[in-house]
Amino acid sequence: QVQLVESGGGLVQPGGSLRLSCAASGFVFRSADMGWYRQAPGKQRELVATTTSAGITVYAVSVKGRFTISRDNAKNTVYLQMNSLQFEDTATYYCNARPVVPGIRPGAVEYWGKGTLVTVSS
């Protein structure tokens, strides 16, 4: 079965850093598009960053320059390095996978992890 297991969340002070990890299994990781999304209480889930199988990255404007997404295909793991954290970054962060499924429109099949909570507080 497909599994996406996030780790690395926690409590951090404003200006601090955290690195989130997502360990993936149950699909061909190297050909999948991977991403990080977040959801704050009372708000919709939003894109944080994505990386395609070719290594192309996209970032939300709110995090660009502060966050970096990366992947290690040998370890089936995607990372999110978060620097200069702000109060507004407080949210549950979810790992997302969009594997290649033959005959199916790209992106139509996706999986989600259970999330890891990041709290930025002084």
Side-chain angles (χ1 to χ4, degrees):
Q1 69 275 24
V2 171
Q3 285 191 311
L4 300 171
V5 182
E6 302 99 332
S7 62
L11 177 65
V12 64
Q13 295 184 20
S17 298
L18 284 175
R19 188 178 77 157
L20 306 183
S21 299
C22 173
S25 61
F27 61 94
V28 180
F29 181 85
R30 64 182 179 275
S31 60
D33 293 343
M34 303 295 298
W36 288 95
Y37 293 72
R38 68 186 182 187
Q39 186 169 28
K43 297 184 178 180
Q44 290 187 315
R45 184 164 55 193
E46 64 177 352
L47 181 148
V48 177
T50 60
T51 179
T52 70
S53 59
I56 299 171
T57 57
V58 174
Y59 296 90
V61 172
S62 60
V63 308
K64 192 170 181 61
R66 299 188 297 120
F67 291 9
T68 303
I69 188 171
S70 61
R71 64 194 296 162
D72 187 337
N73 289 338
K75 296 182 177 180
N76 284 7
T77 301
V78 62
Y79 305 94
L80 184 68
Q81 178 66 47
M82 304 184 294
N83 298 326
S84 301
L85 283 161
Q86 305 166 0
F87 296 131
E88 293 76 18
D89 296 317
T90 295
T92 298
Y93 285 71
Y94 297 92
C95 182
N96 171 264
R98 297 181 179 181
V100 173
V101 180
I104 304 298
R105 176 175 59 83
V109 177
E110 63 179 354
Y111 300 96
W112 296 93
K114 294 180 179 179
T116 184
L117 179 63
V118 172
T119 302
V120 184
S121 177
S122 60

